[in-house]
Amino acid sequence: TQSRSSAASDVYKRQGGVMRFLSLFAGIGGFDLGLERASMQCVGQVEIEPFCQKVLAKHWPNVWRHNDVKTLTGAQVAKHCGTVDLLCGGVPCQPASVAGKRLGAADHRWLWPDFLRLVSEVEPVWVLAENPRGVLSLDVAGMQFSEWIANEFTARGYELLPVKLAAEDVGAPPVSYTHLRAHETPEH
Protein backbone atom coordinates (compact mmCIF):
# COMPACT_ATOMS: atom_id res chain seq x y z
CA THR A 1 0.00 0.00 0.00
CA GLN A 2 1.00 3.58 -0.60
CA SER A 3 2.14 5.76 2.30
CA ARG A 4 -0.16 8.62 3.29
CA SER A 5 2.54 11.21 2.49
CA SER A 6 3.01 9.95 -1.06
CA ALA A 7 -0.77 9.68 -1.40
CA ALA A 8 -1.01 13.32 -0.30
CA SER A 9 1.37 14.41 -3.05
CA ASP A 10 -0.71 12.43 -5.58
CA VAL A 11 -3.74 14.55 -4.64
CA TYR A 12 -2.12 17.56 -6.25
CA LYS A 13 -1.20 15.69 -9.44
CA ARG A 14 -4.69 14.34 -10.02
CA GLN A 15 -7.66 16.54 -10.99
CA GLY A 16 -5.48 19.57 -11.63
CA GLY A 17 -4.45 19.79 -8.00
CA VAL A 18 -8.02 20.03 -6.66
CA MET A 19 -8.63 18.29 -3.35
CA ARG A 20 -11.97 16.45 -3.26
CA PHE A 21 -13.88 16.26 0.03
CA LEU A 22 -16.83 14.45 1.56
CA SER A 23 -18.75 16.38 4.21
CA LEU A 24 -20.30 14.38 7.05
CA PHE A 25 -22.83 16.03 9.38
CA ALA A 26 -22.91 18.77 6.75
CA GLY A 27 -25.51 20.96 8.44
CA ILE A 28 -26.10 23.94 6.14
CA GLY A 29 -22.65 23.66 4.58
CA GLY A 30 -20.34 25.77 6.75
CA PHE A 31 -17.33 23.49 6.33
CA ASP A 32 -18.25 23.00 2.67
CA LEU A 33 -18.33 26.71 1.91
CA GLY A 34 -15.02 27.32 3.65
CA LEU A 35 -13.31 24.39 1.94
CA GLU A 36 -14.63 25.46 -1.46
CA ARG A 37 -13.27 28.96 -0.81
CA ALA A 38 -9.93 27.20 -0.24
CA SER A 39 -10.26 25.78 -3.79
CA MET A 40 -11.43 22.29 -2.79
CA GLN A 41 -14.29 20.41 -4.44
CA CYS A 42 -17.27 19.02 -2.51
CA VAL A 43 -18.13 15.58 -3.93
CA GLY A 44 -20.66 14.46 -1.33
CA GLN A 45 -22.65 15.59 1.69
CA VAL A 46 -24.28 13.61 4.50
CA GLU A 47 -26.98 15.30 6.56
CA ILE A 48 -30.02 13.88 8.36
CA GLU A 49 -32.02 17.07 9.08
CA PRO A 50 -34.62 17.85 6.35
CA PHE A 51 -34.28 21.65 6.60
CA CYS A 52 -30.50 21.42 6.26
CA GLN A 53 -30.91 19.03 3.31
CA LYS A 54 -32.98 21.68 1.52
CA VAL A 55 -30.34 24.34 2.13
CA LEU A 56 -27.61 22.01 0.84
CA ALA A 57 -29.67 21.12 -2.24
CA LYS A 58 -30.17 24.81 -3.03
CA HIS A 59 -26.49 25.76 -2.74
CA TRP A 60 -24.93 22.50 -4.01
CA PRO A 61 -27.50 21.21 -6.52
CA ASN A 62 -25.04 18.93 -8.32
CA VAL A 63 -23.46 17.30 -5.26
CA TRP A 64 -24.42 13.75 -4.27
CA ARG A 65 -26.16 13.50 -0.90
CA HIS A 66 -26.93 10.79 1.61
CA ASN A 67 -29.21 11.28 4.60
CA ASP A 68 -27.69 9.20 7.40
CA VAL A 69 -24.09 8.62 8.43
CA LYS A 70 -25.16 5.41 10.17
CA THR A 71 -26.24 3.79 6.90
CA LEU A 72 -23.51 5.21 4.66
CA THR A 73 -20.78 2.84 3.51
CA GLY A 74 -17.41 3.33 1.91
CA ALA A 75 -18.67 1.41 -1.13
CA GLN A 76 -21.50 3.94 -1.60
CA VAL A 77 -19.04 6.80 -1.29
CA ALA A 78 -16.72 5.23 -3.90
CA LYS A 79 -19.65 4.65 -6.27
CA HIS A 80 -21.13 8.15 -6.02
CA CYS A 81 -18.12 10.32 -5.16
CA GLY A 82 -15.08 8.56 -6.57
CA THR A 83 -11.84 9.33 -4.78
CA VAL A 84 -12.17 11.33 -1.57
CA ASP A 85 -9.02 13.14 -0.45
CA LEU A 86 -10.48 14.78 2.65
CA LEU A 87 -13.27 13.59 4.92
CA CYS A 88 -14.62 16.36 7.15
CA GLY A 89 -17.34 16.76 9.70
CA GLY A 90 -18.53 18.30 12.90
CA VAL A 91 -19.65 15.22 14.79
CA PRO A 92 -22.81 16.09 16.77
CA CYS A 93 -21.74 17.94 19.90
CA GLN A 94 -24.67 17.32 22.23
CA PRO A 95 -23.07 14.24 23.89
CA ALA A 96 -19.95 16.29 24.71
CA SER A 97 -21.18 19.83 25.25
CA VAL A 98 -20.92 21.33 28.72
CA ALA A 99 -24.37 22.79 28.00
CA GLY A 100 -25.86 19.28 28.03
CA LYS A 101 -25.80 16.11 30.12
CA ARG A 102 -22.37 15.05 28.74
CA LEU A 103 -23.34 11.41 28.34
CA GLY A 104 -20.60 10.81 25.76
CA ALA A 105 -20.77 7.28 24.34
CA ALA A 106 -23.95 6.59 26.35
CA ASP A 107 -25.83 9.20 24.27
CA HIS A 108 -27.55 7.91 21.11
CA ARG A 109 -26.16 10.97 19.30
CA TRP A 110 -22.54 9.86 19.96
CA LEU A 111 -21.57 9.35 16.33
CA TRP A 112 -17.79 9.22 16.62
CA PRO A 113 -17.81 5.44 15.97
CA ASP A 114 -19.63 6.01 12.65
CA PHE A 115 -17.27 8.84 11.74
CA LEU A 116 -14.28 6.59 12.47
CA ARG A 117 -15.84 3.66 10.58
CA LEU A 118 -16.16 5.86 7.51
CA VAL A 119 -12.56 7.04 7.90
CA SER A 120 -11.57 3.35 7.74
CA GLU A 121 -13.84 2.55 4.79
CA VAL A 122 -13.21 5.66 2.68
CA GLU A 123 -9.48 5.93 3.51
CA PRO A 124 -9.06 9.64 2.75
CA VAL A 125 -5.59 11.13 2.84
CA TRP A 126 -6.78 13.85 5.23
CA VAL A 127 -9.44 14.02 7.97
CA LEU A 128 -10.83 17.23 9.46
CA ALA A 129 -13.10 16.91 12.50
CA GLU A 130 -14.62 19.55 14.75
CA ASN A 131 -16.19 19.36 18.22
CA PRO A 132 -16.66 21.68 21.22
CA ARG A 133 -13.91 21.94 23.79
CA GLY A 134 -16.08 20.01 26.26
CA VAL A 135 -15.26 16.82 24.38
CA LEU A 136 -11.68 16.98 25.67
CA SER A 137 -12.74 16.37 29.25
CA LEU A 138 -15.02 13.42 28.47
CA ASP A 139 -14.20 9.92 29.64
CA VAL A 140 -14.48 7.45 26.76
CA ALA A 141 -13.71 3.76 27.27
CA GLY A 142 -11.93 4.53 30.54
CA MET A 143 -9.67 7.28 29.20
CA GLN A 144 -9.78 10.97 28.30
CA PHE A 145 -11.29 11.66 24.88
CA SER A 146 -8.02 13.12 23.61
CA GLU A 147 -6.20 9.84 24.34
CA TRP A 148 -9.07 7.73 22.99
CA ILE A 149 -9.33 9.63 19.69
CA ALA A 150 -5.54 9.61 19.25
CA ASN A 151 -5.57 5.82 19.69
CA GLU A 152 -8.45 5.46 17.22
CA PHE A 153 -6.70 7.48 14.51
CA THR A 154 -3.33 5.82 15.13
CA ALA A 155 -4.97 2.40 14.75
CA ARG A 156 -6.19 3.55 11.32
CA GLY A 157 -2.74 4.74 10.24
CA TYR A 158 -3.24 8.48 10.79
CA GLU A 159 -1.22 11.02 12.70
CA LEU A 160 -3.31 13.33 14.82
CA LEU A 161 -2.76 17.08 15.01
CA PRO A 162 -5.23 18.53 17.52
CA VAL A 163 -5.85 22.25 17.21
CA LYS A 164 -7.87 24.26 19.70
CA LEU A 165 -9.30 27.45 18.21
CA ALA A 166 -11.42 30.16 19.75
CA ALA A 167 -13.44 32.66 17.74
CA GLU A 168 -10.88 35.40 18.35
CA ASP A 169 -8.11 33.13 17.01
CA VAL A 170 -9.53 33.58 13.52
CA GLY A 171 -10.41 37.26 13.78
CA ALA A 172 -14.02 36.86 14.88
CA PRO A 173 -15.36 38.75 17.90
CA PRO A 174 -14.75 36.87 21.14
CA VAL A 175 -17.58 34.75 22.39
CA SER A 176 -18.95 36.14 25.61
CA TYR A 177 -20.94 34.11 28.04
CA THR A 178 -23.49 35.75 30.25
CA HIS A 179 -23.72 34.11 33.63
CA LEU A 180 -26.98 34.62 35.42
CA ARG A 181 -26.98 34.39 39.18
CA ALA A 182 -30.17 33.46 40.92
CA HIS A 183 -30.70 34.76 44.42
CA GLU A 184 -33.52 35.00 46.83
CA THR A 185 -35.23 38.31 47.18
CA PRO A 186 -36.42 39.53 50.55
CA GLU A 187 -40.04 38.82 51.20
CA HIS A 188 -42.23 41.90 51.39
Side-chain angles (χ1 to χ4, degrees):
T1 61
Q2 183 180 28
S3 74
R4 292 215 190 275
S5 59
S6 66
S9 68
D10 287 349
V11 167
Y12 300 103
K13 295 175 187 168
R14 180 182 31 75
Q15 300 280 332
V18 175
M19 189 179 286
R20 298 161 49 87
F21 70 91
L22 171 65
S23 180
L24 305 181
F25 318 106
I28 59 169
F31 257 150
D32 309 12
L33 181 61
L35 294 173
E36 283 189 343
R37 287 184 176 173
S39 299
M40 298 182 198
Q41 178 188 6
C42 183
V43 294
Q45 297 166 320
V46 183
E47 177 53 53
I48 199 164
E49 293 295 328
F51 173 78
C52 294
Q53 291 170 354
K54 290 177 185 173
V55 172
L56 295 172
K58 178 180 179 183
H59 294 287
W60 288 273
N62 300 317
V63 171
W64 176 79
R65 251 171 244 94
H66 188 77
N67 68 348
D68 192 350
V69 72
K70 291 182 177 186
T71 62
L72 182 63
T73 66
Q76 289 171 305
V77 171
K79 177 181 176 184
H80 296 284
C81 303
T83 301
V84 171
D85 305 308
L86 169 73
L87 186 137
C88 69
V91 179
C93 65
Q94 295 89 339
S97 175
V98 294
K101 295 181 182 177
R102 297 181 43 81
L103 297 176
D107 191 312
H108 72 279
R109 298 165 295 186
W110 182 254
L111 297 177
W112 277 102
D114 289 296
F115 184 86
L116 293 166
R117 173 184 55 80
L118 287 165
V119 167
S120 295
E121 293 177 12
V122 175
E123 297 183 313
V125 176
W126 303 95
V127 178
L128 174 61
E130 175 274 330
N131 238 214
R133 66 179 155 199
V135 76
L136 297 174
S137 61
L138 272 182
D139 179 70
V140 181
M143 62 187 86
Q144 288 286 300
F145 175 84
S146 55
E147 182 182 355
W148 175 78
I149 198 71
N151 291 342
E152 292 293 326
F153 275 106
T154 299
R156 289 164 174 78
Y158 289 85
E159 292 180 46
L160 191 64
L161 176 63
V163 177
K164 288 194 265 183
L165 292 175
E168 54 270 23
D169 293 333
V170 294
V175 176
S176 63
Y177 297 95
T178 303
H179 297 283
L180 301 177
R181 185 171 43 151
H183 60 87
E184 289 186 27
T185 57
E187 291 185 12
H188 294 286

